[in-house]
């Protein structure tokens, strides 16, 4: 059905259908994650980063809680392409054919960037954070006892936000193609964006300069890359619009 001819109830029904599909895939992903969570938890416990650290359960329910957290995180990652596709399918009737093809190609790029952000946080940032925390405990003569629940909560707190932040170029390009932002606007608000990114970096890193810079520099580079990508997307959007205007103005 043409989106222009759809009523509010039609939109609500379409949204409900998309949400049902997402929920079904998420439930299936959770079931699959039940078989993957335990091996992955064991691997993360014995990774070189924390090889000499013993994980402890301070509550009887801690292992189950960690297991379920891992299952839901894995399920979310596995379902993310479906979520993005359903979002695209919901808004695509309002886009031109060329815009539909372009925005559809954002889905694999978005998933790849999310995984890249998670891997960067785990293999680059997380070891520095762990070493900093353990070094601080040693300097203060504090015996560190790590709970399995607290460890994985901290791990998710470091890695998942980075996966989300790495979506910045895709989000900016998407907003540019929709005409919501322009490269000029992004350059105009650069100093405010820098400030926000520096504050975000301060929240997800320990209070030492090296760790903070390891987070801040990639985020600022991502913003600059986003401006460059927005410039390319903006030129293509302008060219597409000019082509449409010429097609309309051409005599039949």
């Amino acid at each position: 059905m043409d989106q222009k001819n759809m009523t509010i109830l039609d939109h609500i029904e379409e949204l409900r259908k998309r949400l049902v599909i997402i929920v079904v895939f998420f439930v299936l992903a959770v079931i699959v994650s039940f078989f993957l969570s335990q091996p992955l938890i064991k691997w993360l416990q014995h990774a070189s980063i924390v090889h000499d650290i013993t994980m402890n359960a301070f509550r009887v329910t801690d292992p189950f809680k960690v297991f379920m957290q891992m299952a839901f995180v894995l399920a979310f990652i596995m379902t993310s392409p479906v979520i993005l596709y359903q979002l695209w399918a919901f808004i695509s009737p309002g886009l031109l054919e060329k815009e539909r093809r372009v925005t559809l190609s954002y889905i694999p790029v978005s998933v790849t960037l999310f995984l890249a952000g998670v891997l960067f946080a785990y293999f680059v940032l997380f070891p520095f954070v762990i070493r900093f925390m353990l070094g601080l405990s040693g300097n203060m003569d504090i015996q560190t006892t790590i709970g399995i629940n607290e460890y994985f909560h901290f791990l998710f707190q470091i890695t998942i936000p980075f996966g989300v932040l790495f979506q910045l170029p895709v989000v900016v390009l998407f907003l540019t193609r929709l005409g919501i932002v322009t490269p000029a606007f992004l350059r105009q608000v650069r100093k405010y964006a820098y400030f926000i990114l520096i504050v975000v970096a301060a929240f997800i890193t320990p209070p030492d300069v090296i760790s903070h810079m390891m987070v801040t520099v990639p985020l600022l580079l991502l913003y600059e890359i986003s401006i460059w990508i927005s410039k390319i997307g903006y030129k293509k959007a302008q060219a597409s619009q000019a082509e449409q205007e010429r097609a309309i103005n051409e005599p039949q």
Side-chain angles (χ1 to χ4, degrees):
M1 182 183 297
D2 190 346
Q3 193 179 48
K4 295 180 180 179
N5 299 325
M6 292 176 67
T7 65
I8 295 178
L9 292 178
D10 291 330
H11 281 292
I12 293 175
E13 177 60 25
E14 178 71 11
L15 179 60
R16 187 193 69 82
K17 183 179 73 173
R18 301 296 173 190
L19 290 175
V20 169
I21 294 174
I22 291 172
V23 170
V24 170
F25 273 91
F26 183 77
V27 171
L28 293 175
V30 169
I31 295 173
V32 174
S33 299
F34 285 158
F35 298 96
L36 302 177
S37 293
Q38 190 171 339
L40 183 56
I41 289 171
K42 288 182 178 180
W43 181 80
L44 291 172
Q45 281 182 265
H46 297 92
S48 59
I49 301 172
V50 290
H51 185 266
D52 298 325
I53 299 176
T54 301
M55 303 292 173
N56 300 276
F58 299 128
R59 299 181 184 85
V60 177
T61 57
D62 278 355
F64 178 75
K65 186 176 181 180
V66 170
F67 178 83
M68 293 303 296
Q69 284 178 340
M70 182 61 72
F72 277 97
V73 168
L74 288 176
F76 172 75
I77 293 174
M78 288 189 286
T79 314
S80 58
V82 178
I83 295 174
L84 293 173
Y85 178 79
Q86 295 304 319
L87 175 63
W88 173 86
F90 181 71
I91 65 173
S92 63
L95 303 176
L96 300 173
E97 181 61 31
K98 188 174 182 180
E99 291 175 332
R100 292 177 189 172
R101 293 196 303 269
V102 171
T103 51
L104 181 61
S105 66
Y106 295 170
I107 295 177
V109 176
S110 178
V111 175
T112 302
L113 285 175
F114 178 83
L115 294 176
V118 170
L119 293 175
F120 172 83
Y122 179 72
F123 287 106
V124 179
L125 176 62
F126 192 63
F128 275 88
V129 175
I130 290 294
R131 280 195 288 268
F132 174 82
M133 295 299 183
L134 295 179
L136 183 62
S137 298
N139 293 335
M140 299 173 65
D141 295 326
I142 297 174
Q143 181 66 37
T144 303
T145 303
I146 298 179
I148 186 72
N149 182 47
E150 287 71 18
Y151 170 76
F152 277 95
H153 177 76
F154 185 65
L155 175 63
F156 295 145
Q157 189 179 11
I158 292 289
T159 55
I160 301 302
F162 245 85
V164 175
L165 289 171
F166 266 55
Q167 303 295 302
L168 184 61
V170 175
V171 172
V172 168
L173 180 58
F174 182 72
L175 295 177
T176 301
R177 294 306 296 261
L178 293 181
I180 298 175
V181 300
T182 64
F185 173 78
L186 294 174
R187 288 191 292 267
Q188 183 180 354
V189 301
R190 178 187 276 123
K191 58 182 179 181
Y192 304 107
Y194 275 19
F195 175 75
I196 293 173
L197 292 175
I198 290 171
V199 171
V200 170
F203 270 107
I204 61 178
T205 55
D208 72 287
V209 177
I210 296 178
S211 296
H212 189 268
M213 291 300 296
M214 288 182 63
V215 175
T216 302
V217 172
L219 292 183
L220 299 184
L221 287 176
L222 276 175
Y223 188 80
E224 292 301 323
I225 292 172
S226 299
I227 295 177
W228 176 70
I229 291 176
S230 176
K231 185 177 180 180
I232 296 174
Y234 185 73
K235 287 182 178 179
K236 290 184 177 180
Q238 293 291 96
S240 178
Q241 183 177 356
E243 183 179 343
Q244 294 171 25
E245 290 176 355
R246 285 196 300 269
I248 294 174
N249 295 328
E250 284 179 358
Q252 300 294 328

